[in-house]
């Protein structure tokens, strides 16, 4: 009986994953692709339709040998059948993104919070937003789980080991949040979440081995291997910002000198453009756009700053490519304007730096925008509830 229950569960996830990734399909298409009998498919589809997760769509021609008669009835994900909330906890803001069962963003919003927020105050903000959603008839009884991301060292059970900007250390945040909302919670590092969201919301991107690099105040990284986040032995893999690129470079937040982060983050750009003694106070988030525009206009100081960022990034990526052999590298974060039109140049530079015979990866720019981390957190919640690939890597879940 247990084996039958597991088989049914896996088969249902297989159907949902196939429909989300491939679009409308007939029962015959699904049976052929998943190697299941028509009778089994009929039972499974009936159950998924009853639960509101699958719906009938326009008629489709089966994708096998040509058949006589009318086209088969199509089946599709019922996007309104379930919802997943993603939350990004930043230093001075919380961003929310709600996605549906098709992994499409339904709504997103941002609210300011005090820079010195505590874990308890962050939970209070998230719980209030979550409860507001439950008052909406569209989401009542359909809000399945919550993903939370933050710029911190996070391990597999939802423990935040270190969130330096907010002063958190050894906080079991998943448990705190679950006590407040009584809904499955998943906690992830912000770069991991953004990386996963890019791949999960764009099934056309190869997920055999895709790397993501987030460049902003810090530099975070992540690897997606066979549709899953590569977390390493203890959940802290992906610290790509701490690859060494300079022997005597500037001091990094980790305490070492010459890390990729210390050479390609916002303050590195400011040092390069203004000079080390003339960095302006306040938020540097708009600086990459300004420098990129000035470089395009021919300003020498801006062009040299962009060239320096590109040199450092190329050295770091070349080492990373040699280690991981990815097919795709995605760049995201506030530094994106500096590199937005340099994808082919970066690929060529990497190709000239790696071992002969190693294929240089495609370089892409993030498509998720300002809410990339929140959307990524929501996709992690979706993945843990309804994606087939999670069966082979069961994550800790905080619910009864």
């Amino acid at each position: 009986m247990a084996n039958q229950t597991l088989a049914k569960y896996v088969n249902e996830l297989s159907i949902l994953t196939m429909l989300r990734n491939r679009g409308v399909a007939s029962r015959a298409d699904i049976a052929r692709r998943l190697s299941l009998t028509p009778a089994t498919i009929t039972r499974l589809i009936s159950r998924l339709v009853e639960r509101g997760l699958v719906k009938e769509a326009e008629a489709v021609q089966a994708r096998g040998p040509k058949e006589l008669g009318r086209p088969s009835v199509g089946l599709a994900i019922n996007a309104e059948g379930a919802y997943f909330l993603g939350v990004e906890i930043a230093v001075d803001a919380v961003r929310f993104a709600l996605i549906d069962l098709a992994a499409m963003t339904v709504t997103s919003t941002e609210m300011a919070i005090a820079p010195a927020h505590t874990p308890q105050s962050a939970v209070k903000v998230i719980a209030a937003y979550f409860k507001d959603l439950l008052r909406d008839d569209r989401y009542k009884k359909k809000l399945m789980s919550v993903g939370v991301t933050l710029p911190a060292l996070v391990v597999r059970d939802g423990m935040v080991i270190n969130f330096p900007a907010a002063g958190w250390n050894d906080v079991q945040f998943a448990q705190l949040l679950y006590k407040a909302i009584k809904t499955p919670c998943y906690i992830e590092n912000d770069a991991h979440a953004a990386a996963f969201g890019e791949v999960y919301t764009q099934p056309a991107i190869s997920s055999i081995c895709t790397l993501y690099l987030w460049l902003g105040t810090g530099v975070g990284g992540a690897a997606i291997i066979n549709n899953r986040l590569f977390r390493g032995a203890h959940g802290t893999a992906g610290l790509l910002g701490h690859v060494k690129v300079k022997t005597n470079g500037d001091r990094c937040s980790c305490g070492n000198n010459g890390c990729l982060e210390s050479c390609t983050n916002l303050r590195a750009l400011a040092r390069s453009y203004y000079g080390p003694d003339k960095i302006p106070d306040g938020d540097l988030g708009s600086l990459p756009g300004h420098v990129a525009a000035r470089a395009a206009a021919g300003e020498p100081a801006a062009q040299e700053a962009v060239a320096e960022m590109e040199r450092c990034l190329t050295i770091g990526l070349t080492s990373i490519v040699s280690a991981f052999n990815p097919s795709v590298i995605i760049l995201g974060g506030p530094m994106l304007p500096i590199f937005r039109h340099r994808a082919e140049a970066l690929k060529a530079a990497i190709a000239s730096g790696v071992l002969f015979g190693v294929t240089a990866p495609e370089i892409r720019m993030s498509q998720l925008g300002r809410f990339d981390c929140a959307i990524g957190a929501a996709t992690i919640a979706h993945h843990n509830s309804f994606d087939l690939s999670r069966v082979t890597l069961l994550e800790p879940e905080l619910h009864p």
Side-chain angles (χ1 to χ4, degrees):
M1 182 63 72
N3 288 340
Q4 291 178 353
T5 301
L6 177 60
K8 181 171 69 174
Y9 173 65
V10 170
N11 287 334
E12 288 178 350
L13 291 186
S14 298
I15 293 169
L16 291 170
T17 301
M18 176 185 167
L19 292 177
R20 184 178 67 81
N21 289 335
R22 298 177 61 84
V24 178
S26 68
R27 286 172 173 81
D29 290 333
I30 297 171
R32 274 191 289 268
R33 180 161 289 277
L34 301 183
S35 300
L36 297 172
T37 66
T40 299
I41 287 295
T42 297
R43 289 195 299 272
L44 293 170
I45 292 297
S46 295
R47 174 176 162 82
L48 292 172
V49 170
E50 288 173 5
R51 292 168 60 193
L53 304 178
V54 169
K55 64 180 180 180
E56 291 189 347
E58 70 271 18
V60 295
Q61 180 66 52
R63 293 173 184 156
K66 202 164 187 178
E67 299 173 359
L68 298 176
R70 292 181 299 175
S72 303
V73 174
L75 296 165
I77 283 283
N78 179 16
E80 299 175 354
Y83 295 92
F84 310 85
L85 179 62
V87 185
E88 177 195 1
I89 302 174
V91 175
D92 56 359
V94 176
R95 298 181 184 95
F96 298 94
L98 187 72
I99 67 171
D100 59 23
L101 188 56
M104 300 297 291
T105 303
V106 177
T107 185
S108 57
T109 190
E110 178 178 354
M111 61 178 64
I113 57 173
H117 54 277
T118 65
Q120 291 75 18
S121 64
V123 165
K124 188 175 180 179
V125 169
I126 296 170
Y129 188 85
F130 181 84
K131 290 170 183 176
D132 280 344
L133 286 176
L134 292 182
R135 296 186 186 98
D136 190 318
D137 289 339
R138 291 173 295 176
Y139 312 129
K140 191 180 299 182
K141 297 183 180 179
K142 294 182 180 180
L143 199 44
M144 307 300 294
S145 52
V146 177
V148 179
T149 181
L150 58 170
L153 192 62
V154 179
V155 292
R156 296 170 65 90
D157 64 352
M159 170 78 79
V160 178
I161 300 297
N162 184 22
F163 181 4
W168 300 9
N169 292 292
D170 297 329
V171 176
Q172 186 47 268
F173 194 73
Q175 289 185 2
L176 287 176
L177 183 57
Y178 178 75
K179 288 178 182 178
I181 64 175
K182 298 298 188 292
T183 298
C185 304
Y186 306 94
I187 315 300
E188 192 56 78
N189 165 268
D190 56 355
H192 279 189
F196 193 77
E198 289 285 347
V199 174
Y200 202 75
T201 57
Q202 301 178 72
I205 295 178
S206 170
S207 57
I208 295 174
C209 184
T210 294
L211 300 184
Y212 179 92
L213 206 61
W214 190 94
L215 302 109
T217 305
V219 173
I224 309 294
I225 298 175
N226 294 329
N227 293 300
R228 297 188 296 273
L229 275 168
F230 174 67
R231 292 189 173 89
H234 303 290
T236 60
L239 300 175
L240 304 182
H242 300 289
V243 171
K244 199 170 187 67
V245 298
K246 284 187 176 182
T247 303
N248 297 308
D250 293 296
R251 193 167 184 82
C252 181
S253 61
C254 70
N256 294 315
N257 293 85
C259 292
L260 179 61
E261 174 176 308
S262 66
C263 299
T264 58
N265 65 6
L266 289 170
R267 291 195 66 81
L269 177 62
R271 283 194 304 271
S272 182
Y273 183 59
Y274 292 112
D277 301 322
K278 300 178 182 178
I279 299 175
D281 295 329
D283 182 25
L284 297 174
S286 62
L287 182 61
H290 172 74
V291 174
R294 298 309 303 158
E299 182 183 296
Q303 290 177 334
E304 177 53 35
V306 170
E308 175 63 13
M309 295 300 102
E310 190 171 319
R311 280 192 292 268
C312 292
L313 183 61
T314 298
I315 294 170
L317 289 181
T318 300
S319 297
I320 291 166
V321 167
S322 297
F324 283 92
N325 185 215
S327 56
V328 180
I329 292 178
I330 301 171
L331 303 180
M335 287 287 287
L336 203 55
I338 296 294
F339 306 109
R340 190 178 301 282
H341 303 296
R342 302 297 295 164
E344 289 306 314
L346 285 168
K347 180 177 179 178
I350 293 167
S352 68
V354 295
L355 187 68
F356 178 76
V358 174
T359 301
E362 177 186 1
I363 306 295
R364 290 182 176 228
M365 303 298 145
S366 171
Q367 300 297 308
L368 296 182
R370 183 174 179 79
F371 289 88
D372 54 353
C373 294
I375 293 170
T379 63
I380 287 173
H382 185 298
H383 163 78
N384 277 283
S385 298
F386 285 114
D387 191 69
L388 176 63
S389 64
R390 62 97 52 203
V391 173
T392 57
L393 185 65
L394 293 174
E395 300 295 338
E397 297 182 8
L398 290 173
H399 57 90

